[in-house]
Amino acid sequence: MIVLDTHIWVWWVDGKAQLTGECQDHIERQRANGLGVSVISCWEVAKLVEYGRLQLECSVQEWLESALAYPGIRLLNLTPRIAVESTKLPDPFHKDPADQIIVATARAWNCPLLTADGQDSQISTRSVGKMLR
């Protein structure tokens, strides 16, 4: 399984040009192994819409239901272990709690994190790396 950062998940579901063909191919190859999405990504999508930083073609609830139903997607819950792990990330790590939870989720599951954020990818257990245009 790989864990998808929120932006990667949104760009993949919405077919955004920010993802290279290489990244899209990697996601497709990993579907059978599982594409993990932290439950905090659902909150982050809703907040991005609330703040006007993300526009969806349907309601947030409809988008989430559809995006979570994609083949291979596994919703990864926030556990006490992940909550604690998010407070033990190496310094310096930025203060975005959603990113902290997503990185901690990848570390707890011992999975690579596919992200657009270079700092997050270096701190996760293993990283697929940045595959963006």
Side-chain angles (χ1 to χ4, degrees), residues 38-87:
S38 171
V39 69
I40 202 74
S41 289
C42 298
W43 173 83
E44 192 170 20
V45 166
K47 295 305 280 184
L48 289 168
V49 170
E50 176 189 9
Y51 295 149
R53 294 179 51 207
L54 176 64
Q55 285 80 40
L56 302 174
E57 294 186 16
C58 57
S59 73
V60 174
Q61 185 64 42
E62 291 170 322
W63 189 93
L64 289 172
E65 288 172 9
S66 174
L68 289 170
Y70 269 54
I73 292 292
R74 291 182 57 189
L75 184 62
L76 305 176
N77 288 322
L78 176 59
T79 64
R81 176 180 174 210
I82 291 169
V84 171
E85 178 70 26
S86 75
T87 69

Side-chain angles (χ1 to χ4, degrees), residues 4-122:
L4 304 179
D5 193 11
T6 304
H7 284 89
I8 298 293
W9 181 42
V10 170
W11 293 339
W12 175 62
V13 168
D14 288 350
K16 298 294 184 184
Q18 287 95 328
L19 294 182
T20 64
E22 178 186 3
C23 183
Q24 292 172 14
D25 290 346
H26 185 76
I27 291 171
E28 291 303 320
R29 285 190 309 273
Q30 291 298 316
R31 271 191 189 202
N33 298 324
L35 304 170
V37 173
S38 171
V39 69
I40 202 74
S41 289
C42 298
W43 173 83
E44 192 170 20
V45 166
K47 295 305 280 184
L48 289 168
V49 170
E50 176 189 9
Y51 295 149
R53 294 179 51 207
L54 176 64
Q55 285 80 40
L56 302 174
E57 294 186 16
C58 57
S59 73
V60 174
Q61 185 64 42
E62 291 170 322
W63 189 93
L64 289 172
E65 288 172 9
S66 174
L68 289 170
Y70 269 54
I73 292 292
R74 291 182 57 189
L75 184 62
L76 305 176
N77 288 322
L78 176 59
T79 64
R81 176 180 174 210
I82 291 169
V84 171
E85 178 70 26
S86 75
T87 69
K88 296 181 177 181
L89 299 174
D91 285 329
F93 193 85
H94 57 83
K95 301 298 181 196
D96 183 333
D99 285 347
Q100 293 171 355
I101 294 292
I102 293 167
V103 169
T105 299
R107 290 168 63 107
W109 281 87
N110 195 30
C111 292
L113 173 64
L114 186 55
T115 181
D117 187 328
Q119 182 183 23
D120 291 358
S121 68
Q122 292 170 6

